[in-house]
Every structure is written in C-alpha cells, then in structure tokens.
C-alpha cells in the first residue's frame, strides 16, 4: 500500500486561530486547516508546511511543533495527516501563490481568524472531526 503524507497548520495569530473557509456556490461552507501534500522536493515535513502556508495564505511562521497525527486508510493510498502548531509572524494575501489560487473549481478559499476559545471553535464546521474534537479538548491550554 502506498502512503501519502500531508502537513496541516494550526496557526495562532496573537489571540486568534487562522483557518481556511472552504465552500462552493450553492453549498455549505466548512473550515479546515492550511496545508497540503508533501512534495518530492520538500526537504522535510517542516519545509513542506512552510511552503504550504506561504502558498495558501501568504504567511511566514515561527517555530513549529507537531501535536497530532491522523491516518486516513484507503484501498490503494493511505493519507497520513501531520498537524503542527505555529505562530503567524506576518501574513500578506498578495503573496498567495499556490495552484489553488489559479483553479476556478477551488471555490471559496479564504483565511479567517477565529477567537482562541472553545465556544468559537464549536460554532465552526471544522474538518476533520477528529481535529475539531482534539482542539476543543486542548485549546484552553493554548491560551496566552
């Protein structure tokens, strides 16, 4: 069986979390993390994460800490999602450059800031559910 690795970022911008709002015309919106697949020319998971964060939201980030790994088994390919926590150092949407920005089928792909608390998280349709549950259980310890 083949294994594909993805990197995902839980980003803290001062007292806010940064997620991506996703949706298509006529459909419901949901929220997810910034990130994507590890490419052959990425030196390691952290390099892939930094590339994805720049491509998708035009941000640079500080030190990263992996805090959760989820595996999505498939018949031919299993996907291992590596979740990292990092602080946003700066963000400029004009620097977005990923292939998602050029694809008209991408739909809404907007960064949003959400309060760093359980109530705000509970109001989101954050995907995947395992991540949403983890954050609701641990977010209080992340508050500054």
């Amino acid at each position: 069986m083949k294994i594909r690795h993805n990197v995902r970022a839980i980003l803290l911008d001062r007292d806010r979390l940064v997620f991506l709002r996703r949706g298509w015309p006529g459909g419901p919106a949901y929220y997810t993390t910034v990130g994507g697949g590890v490419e052959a020319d990425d030196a390691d998971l952290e390099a892939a994460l930094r590339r994805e964060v720049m491509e998708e939201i035009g941000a640079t980030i500080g030190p990263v800490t992996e805090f959760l790994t989820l595996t999505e088994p498939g018949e031919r390919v299993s996907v291992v999602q590596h979740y990292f926590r990092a602080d946003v150092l700066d963000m400029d949407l004009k620097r977005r450059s990923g292939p998602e920005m050029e694809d008209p089928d991408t739909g809404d792909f907007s960064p949003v800031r959400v309060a760093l608390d359980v109530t705000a998280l509970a109001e989101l349709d954050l995907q995947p559910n395992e991540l949403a549950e983890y954050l609701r259980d641990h977010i209080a310890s992340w508050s500054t």
Side-chain angles (χ1 to χ4, degrees):
M1 173 172 301
K2 195 171 182 182
I3 296 177
R4 187 177 83 216
H5 293 272
N6 285 358
V7 290
R8 313 297 305 175
I10 300 298
L11 300 169
L12 293 122
D13 190 3
R14 296 185 225 5
D15 61 345
R16 302 263 186 215
L17 294 163
V18 179
F19 294 109
L20 286 175
R21 182 181 189 276
R22 300 296 315 269
W24 290 263
Y30 69 95
Y31 296 82
T32 189
T33 54
V34 173
V38 176
E39 297 177 1
D41 59 343
D42 289 323
D44 54 24
L45 295 176
E46 182 176 338
L49 183 72
R50 291 180 184 284
R51 176 186 50 75
E52 287 288 344
V53 170
M54 180 56 73
E55 286 179 358
E56 293 185 2
I57 64 169
T60 57
I61 56 176
V64 304
T65 302
E66 187 170 0
F67 67 91
L68 180 66
T69 303
L70 300 174
T71 301
E72 301 167 9
E75 288 183 28
R76 294 186 178 163
V77 178
S78 289
V79 179
V80 179
Q81 302 277 2
H82 300 270
Y83 288 89
F84 294 83
R85 176 181 168 183
D87 290 327
V88 173
L89 300 179
D90 65 80
M91 183 167 59
D92 182 349
L93 295 180
K94 294 176 191 162
R95 296 188 304 209
R96 292 167 65 161
S97 63
E100 301 86 355
M101 304 306 113
E102 306 298 321
D103 185 352
D105 294 329
T106 298
D108 186 9
F109 201 78
S110 306
V112 295
R113 289 179 177 86
V114 176
L116 183 61
D117 66 53
V118 174
T119 304
L121 282 172
E123 293 175 4
L124 300 179
D125 181 10
L126 180 61
Q127 298 297 319
N129 289 328
E130 297 89 347
L131 172 65
E133 290 172 14
Y134 180 94
L135 290 177
R136 283 191 299 267
D137 291 344
H138 294 88
I139 203 68
S141 67
W142 290 12
S143 299
T144 54

